[in-house]
Amino acid sequence: MCRSPLPLAWVLIFLVIVVLILQVVHLIIFSYLETLRSERVKTALRNLPSKASAQPFPYFHMDTRGSYQIYYSVVDESEMTTPPYRLVTMVTHCSSHNLHYLPILVDHWRGPISLAVFTSVDDFHVTLRAIHSYMVCYPNIQQYVQFHIVLPLAPLNHILSLNFTHNSVVPCQKLTSYLDKHIKTKNYALTGVPYPNNLLRNVGRLKSRTKFHLVNDIDILPNPGISEEIDRFLETGYSGEDDIRQTAFVLPVFEVEESSPVPNDKLELVAAVRGGSVRQFYAELCYRCHSNTDYDQWLLLEVSNSIRVAYLVDYHPMWEPFVITHKSAPLYEERFKQYGYNRISHICELHMAGFTFAVLDSGFLSHQGFKRKGNFHTNKDDENAANRALYQEFMEELHVKYPDISGSCRDPV
């Protein structure tokens, strides 16, 4: 008597289990190899000959995969002022080539900033000189900004060659041209080395001195003076039922036409939207990446003299707002590099971790220039495709990490 073949469903279940087991084995082996690499570097540093070990060089950290070396607080912070009442730090990041965005960002924010700068061994000393020059040229930068440097893990002899002393500064009026002339490291453009957006964000977050942080891109400006208004709101103005530690406060973000001024307040913003010189961020590139914030509703609200929660919104797949969260919020997933899904993955995890999303009124962010499809680096689409595949794996991992949450980040379409 012949046995009937196994039902197709059982075969599929068996195959799924095999795939899952193989993925776990792959992750274990990968983690082991990365750990081994990190330990080899640390062992080499410990076993330096006495003459070499006597040569001073700052202690550095490494990322979890041993691919980058991290130098926290690379400048003297003794003159920084972070009064006890300051509750929010802006966490931001850039390549050393984009440090020129910093002065206007500091002027708009007027509060603590934790900045992670990505550079290379070749550009390290130029970057450090530029950082010190910006501090000398702009007193507000010295007062408010913490600087951290991240660079690809270098050979031991290169690590030992790094010199943290600074004997001269660049003339203030020549800072931008100095960066253009001497810096080779540009966002998304360092050959063979991916730009580690989320690692940089985590580096800035981990050294933030306040209870809350706004993770922002360096070329996106808050409306002037908003940091102190947010402080007052978090201190006394939030009366929501949800735990403030489990709330992500959303700031709407807009694009401003290149030839138009950045709005200073909501009245100017609304007028500019009506005039067509300002629009929702990523309106052309990925409309639904920000539309869940509900810009139509936000723009129709009466202008408030202080920051407040305007309304709550449910999570929607592919949403990537800029948010203010408590320092205990999940960190960013550092496997996402270059272009695509780096913020989407983080907002997805906040959703899976049970966060409430509350949109703030009056406060907003602005990017100078419309984002258009032809204005990106050459490999943008390939990077986005690779990160899309990683995102599928990441969503599965979140279901394991948060087993009691019934939600999902998958797009129903």
Side-chain angles (χ1 to χ4, degrees):
M1 181 177 179
C2 297
R3 299 180 66 180
S4 59
L6 288 173
L8 179 59
W10 286 105
V11 173
L12 292 175
I13 291 173
F14 173 76
L15 291 175
V16 169
I17 293 172
V18 170
V19 170
L20 290 174
I21 292 173
L22 290 174
Q23 286 181 337
V24 171
V25 172
H26 172 265
L27 288 173
I28 292 172
I29 294 174
F30 181 81
S31 177
Y32 170 75
L33 291 175
E34 294 290 352
T35 302
L36 187 62
R37 181 187 179 194
S38 300
E39 288 302 319
R40 284 175 177 170
V41 173
K42 293 176 182 177
T43 301
L45 290 173
R46 287 194 297 266
N47 295 335
L48 284 172
S50 57
K51 182 178 180 180
S53 61
Q55 181 180 348
F57 62 94
Y59 177 77
F60 66 88
H61 300 258
M62 285 190 287
D63 67 307
T64 55
R65 287 174 163 74
S67 300
Y68 300 90
Q69 56 198 69
I70 304 165
Y71 296 92
Y72 291 107
S73 302
V74 297
V75 296
D76 180 14
E77 297 178 357
S78 60
E79 295 189 35
M80 282 190 64
T81 55
T82 306
Y85 66 85
R86 299 313 299 257
L87 294 178
V88 180
T89 293
M90 176 180 284
V91 172
T92 190
H93 62 95
C94 68
S95 66
S96 46
H97 183 262
N98 281 335
L99 281 168
H100 63 90
Y101 286 109
L102 187 57
I104 190 172
L105 181 67
V106 173
D107 186 56
H108 275 240
W109 180 244
R110 303 171 195 168
I113 294 176
S114 184
L115 170 61
V117 182
F118 183 60
T119 189
S120 64
V121 169
D122 291 340
D123 287 342
F124 183 85
H125 295 116
V126 175
T127 299
L128 199 61
R129 186 185 182 201
I131 288 173
H132 286 291
S133 300
Y134 273 106
M135 293 180 66
V136 171
C137 294
Y138 299 92
N140 282 348
I141 290 180
Q142 184 164 357
Q143 178 182 359
Y144 288 124
V145 183
Q146 297 172 273
F147 290 93
H148 322 290
I149 290 181
V150 177
L151 63 158
L153 186 62
L156 186 58
N157 61 317
H158 289 175
I159 293 174
L160 293 175
S161 72
L162 298 181
N163 184 356
F164 277 73
T165 60
H166 53 286
N167 300 317
S168 63
V169 297
V170 181
C172 298
Q173 69 275 16
K174 295 184 178 180
L175 261 173
T176 300
S177 60
Y178 174 79
L179 294 173
D180 289 337
K181 181 177 180 180
H182 295 285
I183 294 291
K184 305 179 186 70
T185 310
K186 301 181 180 180
N187 288 28
Y188 308 108
L190 188 60
T191 304
V193 180
Y195 183 77
N197 330 61
N198 283 355
L199 169 62
L200 296 170
R201 289 170 173 135
N202 287 344
V203 167
R205 277 186 51 176
L206 290 171
K207 285 301 176 179
S208 167
R209 298 175 174 179
T210 57
K211 293 181 180 179
F212 297 85
H213 48 252
L214 165 63
V215 180
N216 190 32
D217 292 345
I218 198 167
D219 60 346
I220 293 182
L221 297 173
N223 55 306
I226 189 179
S227 64
E228 290 190 341
E229 292 183 29
I230 294 173
D231 283 341
R232 286 190 288 271
F233 160 73
L234 293 172
E235 183 68 33
T236 61
Y238 181 63
S239 58
E241 297 180 359
D242 297 291
D243 183 355
I244 197 168
R245 293 170 178 258
Q246 287 288 113
T247 302
F249 298 101
V250 178
L251 285 174
V253 58
F254 296 85
E255 299 175 353
V256 183
E257 200 171 39
E258 193 68 47
S259 59
S260 299
V262 172
N264 289 308
D265 54 41
K266 189 173 180 179
L267 285 174
E268 290 184 11
L269 175 72
V270 172
V273 170
R274 289 172 179 167
S277 63
V278 172
R279 66 184 186 184
Q280 171 193 312
F281 192 61
Y282 265 39
E284 180 178 327
L285 294 175
C286 182
Y287 183 79
R288 66 177 183 156
C289 289
H290 289 270
S291 61
N292 192 53
T293 302
D294 198 345
Y295 285 77
D296 290 339
Q297 179 178 350
W298 190 87
L299 290 166
L300 289 173
L301 293 169
E302 292 185 8
V303 176
S304 173
N305 293 325
S306 59
I307 294 288
R308 61 185 177 87
V309 171
Y311 48 86
L312 304 181
V313 291
D314 293 330
Y315 170 81
H316 192 276
M318 299 298 291
W319 191 33
E320 56 170 13
F322 291 88
V323 296
I324 300 164
T325 54
H326 190 269
K327 63 182 180 180
S328 60
L331 292 171
Y332 285 72
E333 175 51 61
E334 294 176 7
R335 287 174 294 172
F336 290 94
K337 302 171 186 177
Q338 292 290 106
Y339 184 88
Y341 292 86
N342 46 79
R343 283 200 313 273
I344 288 174
S345 58
H346 183 65
I347 298 300
C348 167
E349 178 157 7
L350 294 183
H351 165 62
M352 293 297 292
F355 273 65
T356 298
F357 294 95
V359 180
L360 298 180
D361 187 22
S362 298
F364 59 91
L365 304 170
S366 301
H367 177 272
Q368 184 77 65
F370 283 176
K371 291 278 190 178
R372 302 187 188 278
K373 293 182 179 180
N375 294 346
F376 285 83
H377 56 290
T378 306
N379 297 326
K380 174 244 184 186
D381 290 339
D382 292 338
E383 295 162 3
N384 198 50
N387 280 334
R388 185 185 302 115
L390 175 59
Y391 185 59
Q392 303 306 311
E393 296 179 17
F394 179 68
M395 287 189 290
E396 296 299 330
E397 293 167 5
L398 290 182
H399 282 286
V400 177
K401 187 175 181 179
Y402 302 102
D404 298 330
I405 300 296
S406 58
S408 173
C409 298
R410 291 197 177 280
D411 196 333
V413 179

